[in-house]
Amino acid sequence: MQKLGNEQSLAGKKILLGISGGIAAYKCAELTRRLIERGAQVQVVMTHAAKEFITPLTMQAVSGRPVSDSLLDPAAEASMGHIELAKWADLVLLAPATADLIARMAAGMGNDLLTTLVLASDAPIAVSPAMNQQMYSHPATQENIQTLSRRGCLIWGPAAGEQACGDVGMGRMLEPMQLVGLCESFFQPKLLAGRSVLITAGPTREAIDPVRYITNHSSGKMGYAIADAAAKLGAQVTLVSGPVALSTPNGVQRIDVESAQDMFDATTSNANSHDIFISCAAVADYRPDVIAKQKIKKTDENNDMSIHMVKNPDIVATIAAMTENRPFTVGFAAETQDVEHYARGKLQKKNLDMICANDVSVEGQGFNSSDNALYLYWKDTDKWEAGEKSLPLDSKQVLGFQILEQIQKLSSL
Ligand code: PMT
């Protein structure tokens, strides 16, 4: 399997980047750099209007190839003609795709190099709309987008937010890194196609009173990286997330929760409709027995206070104990000492199929960092033998794919 999330995830892929005339065109230099960084070859084709927003010279410099912009240019046709260019591409990515470009494509026009290429290419076409929110919601634009979608074009975006014209709403082009992620996902062999994965991520918050709670340092990065990787591998992904400051990965259905009990309810009610469950959340083991209705006051008399805590239900152990439609169940172990010993103990005690152990006492990995290092342990069953695997320090994105690769191997036996 290719390594996604790393520099070579698009190695050898030929992407024809068609830029039309919208303000988001300025983001195409960054987009091109990031695609090339991952090993893609990028051939830029610009409409005349696009050249008003970003220069062909800039795009030539970042792509390392002369930009094509004219259908009737004898010199260009002598090097790579428009039909050759159409055949060259593994993917045609139109970003930004303006309302005008989308309308011309929907009408089947070939009145410039870009629309001609779209007609002449049998490569998959991804359209990343970008326009003013009013233009985007206009019935004509909506119908044109639906027409392209019906014809098999991939529609990537748009996003909602503040627009260059000052309006707020749907119509922003996806950010370059989101488009890169979609390209990676598009080219990735769909190892988990047809499978469904339920993942928990982030911390839980256990309320003490209306203004205070007990939580931990989980940022959600590890769980979100697994969710992102699973979606890229073709799985249907449900992410039950504690409170984090991360955006939902593309193609992932997210359920937000706060407390361990909320996470328990959301997870157990979804478990039997999923093939795989990965419990990456840092769930509070205990919660305050009573949540004070009003803010607890500091008093002059009391120099100390205590909170009586009760045990939360164990989510992963509950799911692992299911007798019907039990998903392949994977836990995590966050340890600060005797990592293997404690992880193997949790694997047995919680009746898991596999456990991913991390030493969270090591600087630069574990909680709230971009990287991690893991040990995977799985126990003997009648289908597979016990085993282990070390996943050395890498980005959580890369580790997400490696974890899923091992899960896929075992759960398909
Ligand atoms: O979110 P990040 O900042 O990216 O950090 C990632 C991480 C360190 C949180 C992650 O890699 C990790 O280790 N997650 C598990 C944290 C944890 O709670 O570990 P534990 O050893 O206490 O729990 C063992 C397993 O039981 C875990 O799968 C946990 O999700 C699960 N559990 C725990 C308690 C509970 N009530 N219900 C559970 O399901």
Side-chain angles (χ1 to χ4, degrees), residues 1 191-192 195-199 222-223 226-227 229-230 233 235 274-280 326-332 352-356 374 376-378 383-384 389 391 399-413:
M1 186 173 71
L191 206 63
L192 295 176
R195 310 203 69 192
S196 50
V197 187
L198 176 66
I199 302 164
M222 187 71 248
I226 301 171
L233 292 173
H274 288 77
D275 305 314
I276 297 164
F277 171 54
I278 306 172
S279 184
C280 186
R326 175 189 182 277
F328 183 93
T329 304
V330 180
F332 267 72
L352 308 177
D353 296 304
M354 189 174 107
I355 196 154
C356 312
L374 293 165
L376 311 186
Y377 302 105
W378 54 96
K383 292 194 189 140
W384 63 81
K389 190 172 195 169
L391 303 180
L399 292 170
F401 286 99
Q402 293 173 340
I403 294 166
L404 289 166
E405 204 176 353
Q406 187 57 45
I407 292 175
Q408 196 272 340
K409 274 187 198 153
L410 295 175
S411 63
S412 316
L413 290 173

Short mmCIF file of all heavy atoms in Angstrom, two decimals, residues 1 191-192 195-199 222-223 226-227 229-230 233 235 274-280 326-332 352-356 374 376-378 383-384 389 391 399-413:
data_model
loop_
_atom_site.label_atom_id
_atom_site.label_comp_id
_atom_site.label_asym_id
_atom_site.label_seq_id
_atom_site.Cartn_x
_atom_site.Cartn_y
_atom_site.Cartn_z
N MET A 1 0.84 -1.20 0.00
CA MET A 1 0.00 0.00 0.00
C MET A 1 0.88 1.26 0.00
O MET A 1 1.89 1.29 0.67
CB MET A 1 -0.88 -0.01 1.25
CG MET A 1 -1.88 1.11 1.25
SD MET A 1 -3.06 0.99 2.61
CE MET A 1 -2.01 1.41 3.98
N LEU A 191 -8.69 -0.17 0.11
CA LEU A 191 -8.48 -1.36 0.94
C LEU A 191 -9.68 -1.67 1.83
O LEU A 191 -9.93 -2.82 2.18
CB LEU A 191 -7.27 -1.08 1.84
CG LEU A 191 -6.46 -2.24 2.35
CD1 LEU A 191 -5.82 -2.99 1.20
CD2 LEU A 191 -5.37 -1.72 3.29
N LEU A 192 -10.42 -0.64 2.24
CA LEU A 192 -11.55 -0.85 3.15
C LEU A 192 -12.91 -0.60 2.47
O LEU A 192 -13.90 -0.31 3.14
CB LEU A 192 -11.42 0.05 4.38
CG LEU A 192 -10.23 -0.25 5.30
CD1 LEU A 192 -10.16 0.77 6.43
CD2 LEU A 192 -10.32 -1.66 5.91
N ARG A 195 -16.56 -1.54 3.81
CA ARG A 195 -16.50 -1.82 5.25
C ARG A 195 -16.84 -0.53 6.02
O ARG A 195 -16.68 0.57 5.52
CB ARG A 195 -15.11 -2.32 5.63
CG ARG A 195 -14.69 -3.45 4.68
CD ARG A 195 -13.66 -4.34 5.25
NE ARG A 195 -14.18 -5.13 6.34
CZ ARG A 195 -13.40 -5.83 7.16
NH1 ARG A 195 -12.11 -5.83 7.00
NH2 ARG A 195 -13.91 -6.54 8.13
N SER A 196 -17.30 -0.73 7.24
CA SER A 196 -17.67 0.44 8.04
C SER A 196 -16.84 0.46 9.32
O SER A 196 -16.60 -0.59 9.93
CB SER A 196 -19.16 0.42 8.36
OG SER A 196 -19.51 -0.84 8.88
N VAL A 197 -16.40 1.65 9.69
CA VAL A 197 -15.50 1.79 10.84
C VAL A 197 -16.06 2.84 11.79
O VAL A 197 -16.39 3.96 11.38
CB VAL A 197 -14.08 2.23 10.38
CG1 VAL A 197 -13.12 2.21 11.56
CG2 VAL A 197 -13.55 1.33 9.28
N LEU A 198 -16.16 2.46 13.05
CA LEU A 198 -16.61 3.38 14.10
C LEU A 198 -15.38 3.73 14.95
O LEU A 198 -14.65 2.82 15.38
CB LEU A 198 -17.67 2.67 14.95
CG LEU A 198 -18.23 3.38 16.16
CD1 LEU A 198 -19.04 4.61 15.75
CD2 LEU A 198 -19.15 2.43 16.95
N ILE A 199 -15.13 5.00 15.16
CA ILE A 199 -13.91 5.42 15.87
C ILE A 199 -14.29 6.43 16.96
O ILE A 199 -15.12 7.32 16.72
CB ILE A 199 -12.93 6.10 14.88
CG1 ILE A 199 -12.57 5.12 13.74
CG2 ILE A 199 -11.66 6.58 15.58
CD1 ILE A 199 -11.93 5.78 12.53
N MET A 222 -4.89 11.79 16.98
CA MET A 222 -4.67 10.38 16.61
C MET A 222 -5.96 9.77 16.04
O MET A 222 -5.95 9.17 14.96
CB MET A 222 -4.19 9.61 17.85
CG MET A 222 -3.75 8.19 17.59
SD MET A 222 -2.18 8.06 16.70
CE MET A 222 -2.70 7.39 15.14
N GLY A 223 -7.06 9.97 16.74
CA GLY A 223 -8.33 9.40 16.29
C GLY A 223 -8.79 10.00 14.98
O GLY A 223 -9.31 9.29 14.10
N ILE A 226 -6.88 8.53 12.10
CA ILE A 226 -7.36 7.18 11.73
C ILE A 226 -8.66 7.31 10.93
O ILE A 226 -8.85 6.62 9.92
CB ILE A 226 -7.59 6.31 12.99
CG1 ILE A 226 -6.29 6.16 13.79
CG2 ILE A 226 -8.12 4.93 12.60
CD1 ILE A 226 -6.48 5.49 15.16
N ALA A 227 -9.54 8.22 11.37
CA ALA A 227 -10.81 8.41 10.66
C ALA A 227 -10.55 8.88 9.24
O ALA A 227 -11.16 8.40 8.27
CB ALA A 227 -11.67 9.42 11.41
N ALA A 229 -7.83 8.44 7.44
CA ALA A 229 -7.21 7.35 6.67
C ALA A 229 -8.27 6.32 6.27
O ALA A 229 -8.29 5.85 5.13
CB ALA A 229 -6.12 6.68 7.50
N ALA A 230 -9.18 6.01 7.20
CA ALA A 230 -10.21 5.00 6.90
C ALA A 230 -11.11 5.48 5.76
O ALA A 230 -11.46 4.71 4.87
CB ALA A 230 -11.04 4.71 8.15
N LEU A 233 -9.39 5.16 2.57
CA LEU A 233 -9.29 3.76 2.14
C LEU A 233 -10.65 3.20 1.73
O LEU A 233 -10.80 2.01 1.52
CB LEU A 233 -8.69 2.90 3.27
CG LEU A 233 -7.21 3.20 3.58
CD1 LEU A 233 -6.75 2.44 4.80
CD2 LEU A 233 -6.33 2.86 2.38
N ALA A 235 -13.65 3.28 3.42
CA ALA A 235 -14.62 2.83 4.42
C ALA A 235 -15.69 3.88 4.65
O ALA A 235 -15.48 5.08 4.41
CB ALA A 235 -13.90 2.56 5.75
N HIS A 274 -21.49 -1.50 12.54
CA HIS A 274 -20.14 -1.27 11.99
C HIS A 274 -19.31 -2.55 12.05
O HIS A 274 -19.47 -3.36 12.94
CB HIS A 274 -19.44 -0.14 12.76
CG HIS A 274 -20.01 1.22 12.47
ND1 HIS A 274 -21.19 1.66 13.00
CD2 HIS A 274 -19.56 2.22 11.66
CE1 HIS A 274 -21.45 2.88 12.55
NE2 HIS A 274 -20.48 3.25 11.73
N ASP A 275 -18.40 -2.68 11.08
CA ASP A 275 -17.55 -3.90 11.02
C ASP A 275 -16.35 -3.79 11.96
O ASP A 275 -15.82 -4.80 12.41
CB ASP A 275 -16.98 -4.09 9.60
CG ASP A 275 -18.08 -4.14 8.56
OD1 ASP A 275 -19.07 -4.85 8.81
OD2 ASP A 275 -17.94 -3.46 7.51
N ILE A 276 -15.90 -2.56 12.18
CA ILE A 276 -14.66 -2.36 12.96
C ILE A 276 -14.91 -1.24 13.97
O ILE A 276 -15.51 -0.21 13.62
CB ILE A 276 -13.50 -1.97 12.01
CG1 ILE A 276 -13.20 -3.11 11.02
CG2 ILE A 276 -12.24 -1.58 12.79
CD1 ILE A 276 -12.36 -2.70 9.81
N PHE A 277 -14.45 -1.44 15.20
CA PHE A 277 -14.53 -0.37 16.21
C PHE A 277 -13.13 -0.07 16.73
O PHE A 277 -12.41 -0.98 17.14
CB PHE A 277 -15.45 -0.78 17.37
CG PHE A 277 -15.40 0.20 18.52
CD1 PHE A 277 -15.65 1.55 18.31
CD2 PHE A 277 -15.07 -0.21 19.81
CE1 PHE A 277 -15.58 2.48 19.35
CE2 PHE A 277 -15.00 0.70 20.85
CZ PHE A 277 -15.26 2.05 20.62
N ILE A 278 -12.74 1.20 16.70
CA ILE A 278 -11.42 1.60 17.19
C ILE A 278 -11.62 2.64 18.30
O ILE A 278 -12.13 3.74 18.06
CB ILE A 278 -10.55 2.19 16.06
CG1 ILE A 278 -10.46 1.20 14.89
CG2 ILE A 278 -9.15 2.55 16.57
CD1 ILE A 278 -9.79 1.74 13.65
N SER A 279 -11.20 2.28 19.50
CA SER A 279 -11.42 3.13 20.66
C SER A 279 -10.16 3.93 20.96
O SER A 279 -9.29 3.51 21.71
CB SER A 279 -11.79 2.23 21.85
OG SER A 279 -12.10 3.00 22.96
N CYS A 280 -10.06 5.10 20.32
CA CYS A 280 -8.85 5.91 20.48
C CYS A 280 -9.06 7.03 21.50
O CYS A 280 -8.11 7.69 21.93
CB CYS A 280 -8.46 6.48 19.12
SG CYS A 280 -6.92 7.35 19.13
N ARG A 326 -20.84 -8.36 16.72
CA ARG A 326 -19.70 -7.72 17.39
C ARG A 326 -18.70 -7.24 16.34
O ARG A 326 -18.24 -8.03 15.50
CB ARG A 326 -19.02 -8.72 18.32
CG ARG A 326 -17.75 -8.22 18.99
CD ARG A 326 -17.08 -9.39 19.71
NE ARG A 326 -15.88 -9.01 20.42
CZ ARG A 326 -14.68 -8.88 19.87
NH1 ARG A 326 -14.51 -9.07 18.57
NH2 ARG A 326 -13.63 -8.56 20.62
N PRO A 327 -18.33 -5.94 16.36
CA PRO A 327 -17.31 -5.49 15.40
C PRO A 327 -15.92 -5.99 15.81
O PRO A 327 -15.70 -6.31 16.99
CB PRO A 327 -17.39 -3.97 15.50
CG PRO A 327 -18.00 -3.67 16.82
CD PRO A 327 -18.81 -4.86 17.23
N PHE A 328 -14.99 -6.03 14.86
CA PHE A 328 -13.58 -6.27 15.19
C PHE A 328 -13.17 -5.10 16.09
O PHE A 328 -13.29 -3.93 15.71
CB PHE A 328 -12.76 -6.28 13.89
CG PHE A 328 -11.31 -6.59 14.09
CD1 PHE A 328 -10.85 -7.90 13.99
CD2 PHE A 328 -10.40 -5.57 14.35
CE1 PHE A 328 -9.51 -8.19 14.17
CE2 PHE A 328 -9.05 -5.86 14.53
CZ PHE A 328 -8.61 -7.17 14.44
N THR A 329 -12.72 -5.41 17.31
CA THR A 329 -12.60 -4.36 18.32
C THR A 329 -11.15 -4.07 18.70
O THR A 329 -10.41 -4.98 19.10
CB THR A 329 -13.41 -4.75 19.58
OG1 THR A 329 -14.76 -4.99 19.17
CG2 THR A 329 -13.40 -3.66 20.62
N VAL A 330 -10.78 -2.81 18.53
CA VAL A 330 -9.40 -2.38 18.76
C VAL A 330 -9.37 -1.31 19.85
O VAL A 330 -10.12 -0.33 19.78
CB VAL A 330 -8.80 -1.78 17.46
CG1 VAL A 330 -7.37 -1.31 17.67
CG2 VAL A 330 -8.89 -2.79 16.33
N GLY A 331 -8.51 -1.50 20.84
CA GLY A 331 -8.36 -0.50 21.88
C GLY A 331 -7.01 0.18 21.77
O GLY A 331 -6.14 -0.22 20.97
N PHE A 332 -6.84 1.21 22.55
CA PHE A 332 -5.55 1.87 22.70
C PHE A 332 -5.12 1.70 24.16
O PHE A 332 -5.96 1.47 25.03
CB PHE A 332 -5.65 3.36 22.38
CG PHE A 332 -5.33 3.69 20.94
CD1 PHE A 332 -6.21 3.34 19.93
CD2 PHE A 332 -4.14 4.35 20.61
CE1 PHE A 332 -5.92 3.63 18.61
CE2 PHE A 332 -3.84 4.64 19.29
CZ PHE A 332 -4.73 4.29 18.28
N LEU A 352 -10.09 -7.63 23.74
CA LEU A 352 -9.94 -6.91 22.47
C LEU A 352 -9.32 -7.83 21.42
O LEU A 352 -8.67 -8.82 21.75
CB LEU A 352 -9.03 -5.69 22.67
CG LEU A 352 -9.42 -4.76 23.82
CD1 LEU A 352 -8.39 -3.64 23.96
CD2 LEU A 352 -10.80 -4.17 23.58
N ASP A 353 -9.51 -7.47 20.15
CA ASP A 353 -8.83 -8.21 19.08
C ASP A 353 -7.42 -7.68 18.90
O ASP A 353 -6.50 -8.43 18.56
CB ASP A 353 -9.62 -8.07 17.78
CG ASP A 353 -10.99 -8.71 17.91
OD1 ASP A 353 -11.04 -9.89 18.23
OD2 ASP A 353 -12.00 -8.00 17.73
N MET A 354 -7.27 -6.38 19.09
CA MET A 354 -5.93 -5.78 18.93
C MET A 354 -5.84 -4.56 19.83
O MET A 354 -6.86 -3.93 20.15
CB MET A 354 -5.73 -5.37 17.47
CG MET A 354 -4.34 -4.94 17.11
SD MET A 354 -4.21 -4.64 15.32
CE MET A 354 -4.14 -2.87 15.32
N ILE A 355 -4.62 -4.25 20.27
CA ILE A 355 -4.44 -3.02 21.05
C ILE A 355 -3.26 -2.23 20.49
O ILE A 355 -2.27 -2.82 20.01
CB ILE A 355 -4.28 -3.32 22.56
CG1 ILE A 355 -4.49 -2.05 23.39
CG2 ILE A 355 -2.93 -3.98 22.88
CD1 ILE A 355 -4.96 -2.29 24.80
N CYS A 356 -3.37 -0.90 20.50
CA CYS A 356 -2.31 -0.03 20.02
C CYS A 356 -1.77 0.68 21.27
O CYS A 356 -2.48 1.48 21.88
CB CYS A 356 -2.84 1.03 19.07
SG CYS A 356 -3.93 0.38 17.78
N LEU A 374 3.93 3.58 18.08
CA LEU A 374 2.97 2.61 18.64
C LEU A 374 3.51 1.19 18.60
O LEU A 374 4.34 0.86 17.74
CB LEU A 374 1.66 2.65 17.82
CG LEU A 374 0.83 3.93 17.90
CD1 LEU A 374 -0.20 3.96 16.77
CD2 LEU A 374 0.14 4.08 19.24
N LEU A 376 1.70 -2.52 18.30
CA LEU A 376 0.42 -3.21 18.11
C LEU A 376 0.57 -4.63 18.66
O LEU A 376 1.57 -5.30 18.37
CB LEU A 376 0.04 -3.28 16.63
CG LEU A 376 0.12 -1.99 15.81
CD1 LEU A 376 -0.45 -2.22 14.40
CD2 LEU A 376 -0.63 -0.85 16.49
N TYR A 377 -0.39 -5.07 19.44
CA TYR A 377 -0.41 -6.45 19.95
C TYR A 377 -1.77 -7.05 19.62
O TYR A 377 -2.80 -6.39 19.79
CB TYR A 377 -0.23 -6.48 21.48
CG TYR A 377 1.04 -5.83 21.95
CD1 TYR A 377 1.00 -4.57 22.55
CD2 TYR A 377 2.27 -6.46 21.79
CE1 TYR A 377 2.17 -3.95 22.98
CE2 TYR A 377 3.45 -5.85 22.23
CZ TYR A 377 3.38 -4.60 22.82
OH TYR A 377 4.55 -4.00 23.23
N TRP A 378 -1.76 -8.28 19.14
CA TRP A 378 -3.03 -8.98 18.94
C TRP A 378 -2.89 -10.39 19.49
O TRP A 378 -1.82 -10.97 19.51
CB TRP A 378 -3.48 -8.97 17.48
CG TRP A 378 -2.49 -9.49 16.48
CD1 TRP A 378 -2.42 -10.75 15.97
CD2 TRP A 378 -1.44 -8.74 15.83
NE1 TRP A 378 -1.39 -10.84 15.04
CE2 TRP A 378 -0.77 -9.62 14.94
CE3 TRP A 378 -0.98 -7.41 15.91
CZ2 TRP A 378 0.30 -9.23 14.15
CZ3 TRP A 378 0.09 -7.03 15.11
CH2 TRP A 378 0.72 -7.92 14.26
N LYS A 383 -8.86 -17.83 14.35
CA LYS A 383 -8.62 -17.39 12.97
C LYS A 383 -7.17 -16.95 12.73
O LYS A 383 -6.66 -17.03 11.64
CB LYS A 383 -9.55 -16.24 12.62
CG LYS A 383 -11.01 -16.65 12.52
CD LYS A 383 -11.79 -15.56 11.84
CE LYS A 383 -13.28 -15.82 11.91
NZ LYS A 383 -14.03 -14.60 12.14
N TRP A 384 -6.51 -16.38 13.73
CA TRP A 384 -5.14 -15.93 13.55
C TRP A 384 -4.32 -16.14 14.81
O TRP A 384 -4.88 -16.29 15.90
CB TRP A 384 -5.10 -14.45 13.13
CG TRP A 384 -5.68 -13.50 14.15
CD1 TRP A 384 -5.07 -13.02 15.26
CD2 TRP A 384 -7.00 -12.92 14.16
NE1 TRP A 384 -5.91 -12.19 15.96
CE2 TRP A 384 -7.09 -12.11 15.31
CE3 TRP A 384 -8.09 -13.01 13.30
CZ2 TRP A 384 -8.24 -11.39 15.62
CZ3 TRP A 384 -9.24 -12.29 13.62
CH2 TRP A 384 -9.31 -11.50 14.76
N LYS A 389 3.62 -5.85 16.41
CA LYS A 389 4.29 -5.06 15.38
C LYS A 389 4.65 -3.71 15.98
O LYS A 389 3.82 -3.09 16.67
CB LYS A 389 3.31 -4.86 14.22
CG LYS A 389 3.91 -4.25 12.99
CD LYS A 389 2.89 -4.30 11.86
CE LYS A 389 3.57 -4.04 10.55
NZ LYS A 389 2.70 -4.33 9.43
N LEU A 391 5.42 0.17 15.34
CA LEU A 391 5.28 1.26 14.36
C LEU A 391 6.09 2.44 14.89
O LEU A 391 5.64 3.14 15.80
CB LEU A 391 3.81 1.65 14.18
CG LEU A 391 2.82 0.55 13.75
CD1 LEU A 391 1.40 1.11 13.61
CD2 LEU A 391 3.25 -0.10 12.45
N LEU A 399 0.67 6.80 10.66
CA LEU A 399 0.34 5.71 11.58
C LEU A 399 -1.11 5.26 11.41
O LEU A 399 -1.41 4.07 11.51
CB LEU A 399 0.57 6.16 13.03
CG LEU A 399 2.03 6.38 13.40
CD1 LEU A 399 2.14 7.04 14.76
CD2 LEU A 399 2.80 5.06 13.40
N GLY A 400 -1.99 6.21 11.11
CA GLY A 400 -3.40 5.87 10.89
C GLY A 400 -3.53 4.80 9.80
O GLY A 400 -4.24 3.81 9.96
N PHE A 401 -2.80 4.98 8.70
CA PHE A 401 -2.86 3.99 7.61
C PHE A 401 -2.24 2.67 8.04
O PHE A 401 -2.75 1.60 7.71
CB PHE A 401 -2.14 4.53 6.37
CG PHE A 401 -2.94 5.58 5.66
CD1 PHE A 401 -2.67 6.92 5.84
CD2 PHE A 401 -3.99 5.22 4.84
CE1 PHE A 401 -3.43 7.89 5.22
CE2 PHE A 401 -4.77 6.18 4.21
CZ PHE A 401 -4.49 7.52 4.40
N GLN A 402 -1.15 2.75 8.80
CA GLN A 402 -0.48 1.51 9.21
C GLN A 402 -1.35 0.68 10.15
O GLN A 402 -1.42 -0.54 10.05
CB GLN A 402 0.87 1.83 9.85
CG GLN A 402 1.85 2.42 8.83
CD GLN A 402 3.14 2.91 9.45
OE1 GLN A 402 3.21 3.17 10.65
NE2 GLN A 402 4.17 3.05 8.64
N ILE A 403 -2.04 1.36 11.07
CA ILE A 403 -2.95 0.66 11.99
C ILE A 403 -4.05 -0.03 11.18
O ILE A 403 -4.37 -1.21 11.38
CB ILE A 403 -3.60 1.66 12.99
CG1 ILE A 403 -2.54 2.25 13.92
CG2 ILE A 403 -4.72 1.01 13.78
CD1 ILE A 403 -3.04 3.47 14.70
N LEU A 404 -4.63 0.72 10.22
CA LEU A 404 -5.75 0.17 9.45
C LEU A 404 -5.30 -0.99 8.56
O LEU A 404 -6.05 -1.93 8.33
CB LEU A 404 -6.39 1.27 8.62
CG LEU A 404 -7.17 2.29 9.45
CD1 LEU A 404 -7.49 3.53 8.64
CD2 LEU A 404 -8.46 1.69 9.99
N GLU A 405 -4.05 -0.91 8.10
CA GLU A 405 -3.53 -2.00 7.25
C GLU A 405 -3.50 -3.30 8.06
O GLU A 405 -3.89 -4.36 7.59
CB GLU A 405 -2.12 -1.61 6.80
CG GLU A 405 -1.69 -2.29 5.54
CD GLU A 405 -0.32 -1.80 5.08
OE1 GLU A 405 0.23 -0.84 5.68
OE2 GLU A 405 0.21 -2.39 4.15
N GLN A 406 -3.04 -3.19 9.33
CA GLN A 406 -2.97 -4.38 10.18
C GLN A 406 -4.39 -4.87 10.54
O GLN A 406 -4.66 -6.07 10.51
CB GLN A 406 -2.17 -4.06 11.46
CG GLN A 406 -1.90 -5.29 12.33
CD GLN A 406 -1.15 -6.38 11.58
OE1 GLN A 406 -0.18 -6.11 10.87
NE2 GLN A 406 -1.61 -7.63 11.70
N ILE A 407 -5.28 -3.93 10.83
CA ILE A 407 -6.66 -4.31 11.15
C ILE A 407 -7.29 -5.03 9.95
O ILE A 407 -7.97 -6.04 10.10
CB ILE A 407 -7.49 -3.05 11.52
CG1 ILE A 407 -7.01 -2.46 12.85
CG2 ILE A 407 -8.98 -3.39 11.59
CD1 ILE A 407 -7.68 -1.16 13.24
N GLN A 408 -7.04 -4.47 8.77
CA GLN A 408 -7.64 -5.07 7.56
C GLN A 408 -7.14 -6.50 7.38
O GLN A 408 -7.91 -7.40 7.08
CB GLN A 408 -7.29 -4.18 6.35
CG GLN A 408 -8.12 -4.45 5.13
CD GLN A 408 -7.53 -5.54 4.26
OE1 GLN A 408 -6.34 -5.84 4.36
NE2 GLN A 408 -8.35 -6.15 3.42
N LYS A 409 -5.82 -6.71 7.62
CA LYS A 409 -5.26 -8.06 7.45
C LYS A 409 -5.94 -9.04 8.38
O LYS A 409 -6.36 -10.11 7.98
CB LYS A 409 -3.76 -8.04 7.77
CG LYS A 409 -2.89 -7.65 6.59
CD LYS A 409 -1.43 -7.83 6.97
CE LYS A 409 -0.56 -7.03 6.01
NZ LYS A 409 0.70 -6.62 6.58
N LEU A 410 -6.05 -8.68 9.68
CA LEU A 410 -6.60 -9.61 10.66
C LEU A 410 -8.11 -9.79 10.47
O LEU A 410 -8.61 -10.92 10.50
CB LEU A 410 -6.33 -9.11 12.09
CG LEU A 410 -4.87 -9.05 12.54
CD1 LEU A 410 -4.77 -8.42 13.92
CD2 LEU A 410 -4.24 -10.44 12.56
N SER A 411 -8.80 -8.68 10.27
CA SER A 411 -10.27 -8.78 10.25
C SER A 411 -10.78 -9.42 8.97
O SER A 411 -11.95 -9.75 8.88
CB SER A 411 -10.90 -7.41 10.45
OG SER A 411 -10.56 -6.56 9.39
N SER A 412 -9.92 -9.59 7.97
CA SER A 412 -10.38 -10.26 6.75
C SER A 412 -10.12 -11.75 6.78
O SER A 412 -10.45 -12.45 5.83
CB SER A 412 -9.68 -9.67 5.52
OG SER A 412 -9.62 -8.32 5.57
N LEU A 413 -9.48 -12.23 7.85
CA LEU A 413 -9.15 -13.66 7.89
C LEU A 413 -10.40 -14.51 8.17
O LEU A 413 -11.34 -14.03 8.79
CB LEU A 413 -8.08 -13.92 8.97
CG LEU A 413 -6.70 -13.37 8.65
CD1 LEU A 413 -5.78 -13.52 9.87
CD2 LEU A 413 -6.07 -14.05 7.46
#
